[in-house]
């Protein structure tokens, strides 16, 4: 749906709790008329901004281009509304489509049935006109279509991203419960890291926080490793424009250190593989060390970590783990800001420090807290008492 200026109203999807971070990212990219929605941010931009958003946004999961909006009370009205679009503008009968439906409505209770009716409306339009039709292809289709029904309002969008943008392309191995890349980037941006101080994750797992921190510190686009985006198959795709955007030099210098460790040699091996695949081997220091023995640089820095929170450890073990984290912070991290993501309130209580900030984030289906502990120098640590 074009504006009077020839630009488009676009939507970037994200996780709950990261909407404001995504808002600021879009501001920096030059987006206009930015509005925060639930788990999404809408904005206005042109074709080049669609390309830039997919390449550069760290906290978006996908970028949608709405093309039609209408009201529908039942599947017949849905079918009719879909047929109001001239689908030959976007695809030929020889190509393939995939349809993703999200439904929040009393009248449409099954997203799969919505998907089937939308598919019928599109292929019937082609068949009625030329006697042939595009096929449905879930994997790597020519055109991915997004249907969003809220009560009786149906929004039809083209998905410019394809696979979720959290799939950067650098991860080739993972631990049992890896942190989502978009969530990791969001946590780092929420911390207000100045990109000058050292960045440390002493329980790094498969290395996601370390890699996302390096991409942020050196201003490397997170989409640089992707093989393709869905917009590259659109009829209006401008290859020269995309090449110019993709090849634009954005990397900057970073004087600090990015350091990670883990008690598990297997986890460190996996992290090393991912770091090497991202081309960041010389930008990240990694070693096998338990948190109890990790000694950070004396200069002030930022620590962000995502410790285990219950899937594979018993509660007693968890309390001991988080109590150890609190002790290490008090005695070894003077001058640091430490951020911890966890699910259990008991875990945070075991840390024994008073957080200076709490943010609610959803790590998959789990409602987690992302808490900040400001570790002051010297006697100021006495300000932190057992809760």
């Amino acid at each position: 749906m074009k504006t009077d200026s020839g630009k488009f109203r676009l939507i970037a999807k994200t996780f709950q709790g990261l909407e404001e971070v995504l808002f600021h990212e879009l501001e920096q990219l030059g987006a206009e008329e930015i509005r925060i929605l639930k788990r999404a941010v809408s904005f206005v931009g042109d074709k080049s901004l669609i390309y830039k958003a997919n390449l550069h946004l760290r906290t978006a999961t996908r970028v949608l281009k709405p093309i039609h909006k209408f009201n529908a009370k039942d599947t017949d009205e849905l079918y009719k509304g879909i047929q109001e679009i001239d689908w030959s503008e976007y695809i030929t009968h020889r190509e393939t489509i995939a349809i993703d439906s999200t439904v929040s409505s009393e009248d449409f209770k099954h997203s799969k049935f919505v998907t089937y009716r939308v598919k019928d409306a599109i292929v019937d339009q082609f068949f009625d006109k030329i006697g042939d039709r595009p096929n449905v292809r879930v994997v790597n289709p020519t055109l991915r279509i997004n249907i969003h029904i809220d009560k009786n309002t149906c929004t039809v969008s083209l998905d410019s991203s394809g696979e979720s943008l959290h799939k950067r392309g650098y991860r080739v191995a993972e631990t049992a419960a890896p942190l989502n890349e978009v969530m990791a980037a969001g946590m780092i941006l929420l911390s207000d890291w100045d990109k000058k101080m050292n960045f440390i994750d002493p329980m790094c797992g498969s290395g996601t926080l370390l890699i996302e921190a390096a991409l942020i510190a050196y201003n490397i686009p997170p989409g640089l490793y992707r093989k393709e985006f869905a917009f590259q198959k659109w009829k209006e795709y401008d290859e020269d424009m995309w090449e110019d955007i993709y090849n634009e030099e954005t990397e900057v210098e970073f004087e600090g250190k990015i350091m990670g460790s883990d008690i598990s040699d297997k986890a460190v091996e996996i992290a090393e593989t991912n770091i090497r695949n991202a081309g960041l081997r010389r930008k990240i220091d990694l070693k096998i060390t338990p948190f109890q023995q990790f000694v950070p640089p004396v200069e002030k820095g930022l620590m962000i970590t995502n410790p285990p929170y219950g899937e594979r450890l018993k509660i007693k073990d968890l309390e001991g783990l988080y109590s150890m984290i609190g002790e290490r912070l008090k005695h070894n991290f003077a001058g640091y800001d430490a951020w911890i993501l966890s699910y259990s309130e008991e875990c945070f209580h075991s840390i024994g420090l008073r957080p200076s900030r709490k943010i609610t984030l959803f790590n998959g289906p789990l409602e987690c807290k992302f808490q900040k502990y400001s570790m002051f120098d010297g006697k100021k640590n006495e300000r932190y008492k057992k809760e």
Side-chain angles (χ1 to χ4, degrees):
M1 292 180 281
K2 284 190 177 184
T3 65
D4 291 339
S5 64
K7 296 181 179 180
F8 313 99
R9 171 62 62 179
L10 301 162
I11 296 172
K13 306 282 286 183
T14 189
F15 297 136
Q16 188 169 337
L18 298 182
E19 295 93 344
E20 286 194 18
V21 179
L22 181 53
F23 180 101
H24 292 303
E25 282 199 274
L26 285 162
E27 267 189 331
Q28 292 173 353
L29 278 183
E32 302 170 4
E33 299 180 39
I34 310 171
R35 302 169 190 164
I36 290 180
L37 310 172
K38 186 176 181 181
R39 294 191 294 274
V41 178
S42 75
F43 60 102
V44 168
D46 56 13
K47 185 190 295 185
S48 68
L49 189 58
I50 294 177
Y51 298 176
K52 289 176 184 176
N54 278 284
L55 181 65
H56 290 282
L57 290 178
R58 303 181 190 278
T59 57
T61 55
R62 59 185 65 252
V63 179
L64 305 177
K65 179 185 177 183
I67 58 172
H68 189 43
K69 184 180 285 190
F70 60 93
N71 291 328
K73 297 177 184 176
D74 54 38
T75 54
D76 289 338
E77 291 188 2
L78 173 66
Y79 181 96
K80 182 180 178 182
I82 296 298
Q83 287 216 324
E84 290 172 358
I85 303 167
D86 182 358
W87 287 101
S88 65
E89 290 184 15
Y90 305 104
I91 195 172
T92 71
H93 65 282
R94 296 187 182 90
E95 294 174 311
T96 55
I97 59 172
I99 301 160
D100 299 315
S101 300
T102 304
V103 178
S104 177
S105 172
E106 290 294 319
D107 297 319
F108 300 92
K109 296 184 179 179
H110 300 289
S111 59
K112 281 189 176 180
F113 189 59
V114 167
T115 297
Y116 291 142
R117 288 299 282 162
V118 171
K119 182 266 295 181
D120 288 343
I122 295 171
V123 300
D124 288 352
Q125 184 184 94
F126 276 94
F127 204 83
D128 290 344
K129 287 181 179 179
I130 60 174
D132 203 352
R133 44 157 284 185
N135 289 317
V136 173
R137 185 178 179 183
V138 177
V139 179
N140 201 24
T142 309
L143 189 71
R144 187 172 290 277
I145 301 158
N146 183 278
I147 306 296
H148 183 265
I149 299 179
D150 182 19
K151 297 178 182 176
N152 297 123
T153 303
C154 177
T155 304
V156 183
S157 302
L158 306 184
D159 183 344
S160 71
S161 303
E163 277 199 312
S164 171
L165 294 176
H166 86 271
K167 295 184 177 181
R168 312 291 206 214
Y170 62 69
R171 192 201 292 271
V172 291
E174 59 186 42
T175 50
L179 187 65
N180 181 288
E181 292 87 337
V182 163
M183 177 62 70
M187 289 162 58
I188 297 165
L189 294 174
L190 280 168
S191 75
D192 293 326
W193 182 33
D194 64 5
K195 293 178 278 188
K196 295 177 182 176
M197 294 189 298
N198 297 328
F199 180 94
I200 294 171
D201 180 2
M203 307 177 81
C204 70
S206 60
T208 308
L209 277 165
L210 298 173
I211 294 171
E212 292 297 323
L215 297 182
I216 290 169
Y218 290 95
N219 200 36
I220 299 170
L224 201 67
Y225 309 94
R226 296 255 302 205
K227 291 181 179 179
E228 66 175 4
F229 297 92
F231 65 76
Q232 290 175 273
K233 295 182 179 179
W234 289 3
K235 281 189 173 184
E236 61 185 38
Y237 173 54
D238 187 330
E239 186 171 1
D240 291 337
M241 179 185 288
W242 169 240
E243 289 292 331
D244 287 343
I245 291 169
Y246 183 86
N247 291 315
E248 183 183 2
E249 184 57 53
T250 61
E251 189 169 333
V252 298
E253 291 296 319
F254 173 63
E255 301 299 330
K257 297 184 180 74
I258 298 175
M259 305 174 63
S261 67
D262 201 281
I263 193 172
S264 164
D265 55 350
K266 178 65 175 176
V268 171
E269 182 182 335
I270 289 171
E272 283 179 339
T273 301
N274 291 330
I275 289 167
R276 194 180 304 113
N277 195 51
L280 300 172
R281 190 177 176 188
R282 296 184 179 181
K283 292 178 167 62
I284 298 173
D285 296 326
L286 196 62
K287 56 187 174 182
I288 304 168
T289 308
F291 196 172
Q292 295 93 317
Q293 298 172 17
F294 184 89
V295 180
V298 293
E299 58 264 26
K300 294 181 179 182
L302 173 69
M303 188 201 91
I304 301 182
T305 197
N306 175 37
Y309 32 86
E311 303 95 304
R312 297 178 302 281
L313 289 178
K314 295 178 181 178
I315 293 297
K316 189 175 180 181
D317 297 333
L318 275 178
E319 290 175 354
L321 172 66
Y322 281 79
S323 176
M324 177 275 294
I325 291 173
E327 288 300 313
R328 296 299 293 178
L329 291 180
K330 279 190 287 187
H331 297 297
N332 291 83
F333 284 80
Y336 275 71
D337 283 336
W339 286 83
I340 297 172
L341 180 74
S342 189
Y343 171 64
S344 168
E345 194 62 42
E346 289 81 6
C347 290
F348 280 120
H349 187 76
S350 296
I351 291 174
L353 302 173
R354 187 172 293 115
S356 56
R357 193 175 171 195
K358 296 182 180 181
I359 300 172
T360 299
L361 294 174
F362 284 81
N363 188 14
L366 298 178
E367 182 178 336
C368 297
K369 286 289 187 292
F370 186 44
Q371 299 195 170
K372 177 183 180 181
Y373 301 89
S374 297
M375 308 310 300
F376 294 98
D377 291 314
K379 295 182 179 180
K380 290 183 180 178
N381 275 339
E382 296 175 4
R383 290 171 58 176
Y384 290 100
K385 299 177 182 179
K386 289 281 184 179
E387 291 180 318

